[in-house]
Amino acid sequence: MAETKVRQATWLTKEKRPIVIAGPCSVETEEQVLETAKRLKVTGKSDILRGGIWKPRTRPGSFEGVGAKGLPWMIRAKEETGFPTTVEVAKAKHVELCLEFGIDILWIGARTTVNPFAVQEIADALRGVDIPVLIKNPINPDLALWKGAFERLDAVGIKELGAIHRGFSYSGEKYYRNRPQWQIPIKFMQEFPEIPMIVDPSHICGRRDILQDVGQKAMDLDFDGLMIESHIDPDNAWSDAKQQITPEVFGAMVTEMVLREDYEGEIPIQTPLENFREEIKNIDDDIIDLLSNRMKIVNDIGKYKKEKNMTIYQNKTWTKKIQRYLKIGERNGLSDEFIQKLFAAIHDESINQQNSIFKKG
Ligand code: PEP
Ligand code: MN
């Protein structure tokens, strides 16, 4: 997008910051949408109403959204509250229907941003149309892929674009549902300062208890807004029940947030050093996670060896393995000494764990 110009969004003026998008993960019934919108209105803390009509679900069989019949409910909610509406689109048909019903802003979900074919299909359906489009980051931490989606929308003439940071998928024990890896959206903002960047704490956290912290962090880092899922009866929501909050809890949460311009004294920005440290922390988490997965397999091997009356330590296979690791290490600038020590430690732990399996029973 280096040569292309994305124009400043008119739906987001500097005076309006932070812009707050709130509403249910999924549109479920007309009453639910209307009541959510009205109660959000009472809080005075939200600007735009979100609602998922078509839901990308990991496995088939669970609730996949009410479909087009939910669109008039969003429009009714708009008529009764004045909130502009935003809906997720994943294919051309969704775009057509949203335009037909008069949805104000479209957003592209994380599972769609990963797929250039799908993004291109959406872009083609929007050629010559004047509507703001928000693009969530892809589920994997790939900045180029995210930028690629902007380039596709920019190329068909969409003038008002915005980004939504919803975190990145990762394996292992989970504190976040999707790890924020703040350095990625920060890099994006540095490259494209004219594109507003909104943070979606709901999909980053996947739970209610840390929403406030993540939202505050987004404000401290000077992001342009928030997208927060809100439901009138969160525990019984048809999707993402664990992360949704009532409009009243939402209102209190946003009220409590301290904006950068309100800070007295030092503004808590993220320094480059903190950025590096966070990247290292993420990598360390991954290392521990990988080691834990490795030990699980080691334990399975231990059980197998015990069953077959085999010895734990098999010198030949180990020597062969180490030779291979030394070569890989060398290619990647890691010294022989380091590789030897690292794998000796891993190997010791593996043997200890297998020993305890042999002793059992
Ligand atoms: C959503 O906003 O409800 C959604 C499906 O989010 P994401 O695309 O971030 O997973
Ligand atoms: Mn959701």
Side-chain angles (χ1 to χ4, degrees):
M1 201 159 34
E3 331 74 45
T4 58
K5 272 231 159 43
V6 177
R7 272 73 50 181
Q8 173 66 50
T10 55
W11 58 275
L12 184 94
T13 57
K14 284 276 167 196
E15 303 77 68
K16 247 194 177 170
R17 291 173 75 255
I19 192 104
V20 181
I21 303 172
C25 174
S26 295
V27 163
E28 297 166 6
T29 64
E30 182 165 25
E31 298 67 43
Q32 170 242 8
V33 183
L34 288 178
E35 195 183 330
T36 311
K38 285 181 192 161
R39 283 166 54 180
L40 282 170
K41 187 77 187 174
V42 172
T43 69
K45 292 292 169 190
S46 80
D47 307 292
I48 297 169
L49 179 70
R50 64 153 278 154
I53 297 280
W54 302 279
K55 299 304 297 178
R57 303 308 295 274
T58 305
R59 298 180 67 185
S62 54
F63 171 64
E64 292 187 314
V66 293
K69 76 167 185 240
L71 290 167
W73 306 341
M74 288 293 283
I75 300 303
R76 214 175 134 208
K78 176 187 175 170
E79 283 161 5
E80 298 203 8
T81 59
F83 285 138
T85 52
T86 182
V87 163
E88 175 178 353
V89 291
K91 50 189 193 182
K93 187 75 197 159
H94 300 164
V95 172
E96 275 166 40
L97 284 161
C98 285
L99 296 177
E100 187 186 318
F101 280 88
I103 297 298
D104 300 284
I105 299 167
L106 306 179
W107 96 75
I108 296 179
R111 289 172 186 78
T112 306
T113 311
V114 288
N115 181 354
F117 287 124
V119 175
Q120 192 56 49
E121 182 184 313
I122 292 168
D124 290 336
L126 282 168
R127 202 176 288 276
V129 179
D130 187 14
I131 190 169
V133 181
L134 311 178
I135 306 176
K136 287 198 172 193
N137 63 263
I139 47 179
N140 51 325
D142 184 341
L143 185 56
L145 195 55
W146 197 3
K147 287 183 338 195
F150 279 85
E151 286 161 348
R152 289 176 198 280
L153 273 292
D154 186 61
V156 297
I158 292 295
K159 292 186 182 62
E160 298 181 58
L161 290 167
I164 303 175
H165 170 44
R166 50 78 82 196
F168 302 93
S169 132
Y170 67 114
S171 63
E173 202 190 311
K174 293 207 169 163
Y175 179 75
Y176 298 109
R177 177 177 173 192
N178 292 293
R179 193 154 67 185
Q181 303 196 234
W182 296 102
Q183 72 281 2
I184 295 173
I186 287 172
K187 230 181 246 168
F188 186 105
M189 291 194 283
Q190 285 162 348
E191 266 189 71
F192 306 104
E194 73 285 11
I195 299 181
M197 175 69 77
I198 287 168
V199 174
D200 172 350
S202 304
H203 291 90
I204 291 176
C205 301
R207 51 195 253 206
R208 295 175 197 131
D209 58 328
I210 55 173
L211 278 177
Q212 176 101 37
D213 284 352
V214 169
Q216 183 61 55
K217 173 105 178 174
M219 295 298 97
D220 295 346
L221 292 173
D222 209 20
F223 282 77
D224 297 294
L226 297 168
M227 180 189 250
I228 296 176
E229 288 187 339
S230 176
H231 192 284
I232 47 171
D233 182 9
D235 286 335
N236 292 305
W238 297 1
S239 61
D240 287 352
K242 285 200 191 109
Q243 69 196 33
Q244 302 207 64
I245 49 177
T246 62
E248 294 70 31
V249 170
F250 155 84
M253 184 177 283
V254 179
T255 306
E256 260 178 53
M257 278 179 196
V258 186
L259 305 185
R260 272 163 67 88
E261 46 265 41
D262 297 337
Y263 272 106
E264 286 168 18
E266 217 155 296
I267 293 172
I269 51 162
Q270 182 132 326
T271 63
L273 191 59
E274 281 170 324
N275 251 330
F276 290 136
R277 286 198 175 127
E278 202 163 294
E279 281 187 67
I280 285 185
K281 196 172 122 264
N282 287 339
I283 293 173
D284 288 347
D285 288 354
D286 286 346
I287 292 174
I288 293 174
D289 187 51
L290 286 171
L291 287 173
S292 143
N293 287 344
R294 189 187 194 283
M295 286 308 161
K296 279 182 202 135
I297 298 173
V298 161
N299 279 308
D300 287 342
I301 296 177
K303 283 177 208 147
Y304 180 84
K305 282 181 185 164
K306 186 180 177 183
E307 223 179 85
K308 303 279 176 208
N309 266 327
M310 292 161 78
T311 56
I312 291 180
Y313 184 57
Q314 288 166 335
N315 190 30
K316 247 200 239 141
T317 46
W318 181 247
T319 318
K320 234 165 108 187
K321 263 196 236 169
I322 272 292
Q323 289 312 319
R324 189 171 153 262
Y325 299 157
L326 288 171
K327 257 192 226 149
I328 299 174
E330 200 188 322
R331 277 208 301 271
N332 288 285
L334 301 170
S335 72
D336 283 7
E337 195 196 344
F338 173 67
I339 294 284
Q340 296 269 18
K341 273 194 205 155
L342 176 68
F343 281 95
I346 292 173
H347 193 231
D348 278 355
E349 177 66 12
S350 304
I351 289 181
N352 286 342
Q353 295 217 6
Q354 291 194 348
N355 266 331
S356 58
I357 286 173
F358 269 63
K359 271 188 218 137
K360 256 190 233 156

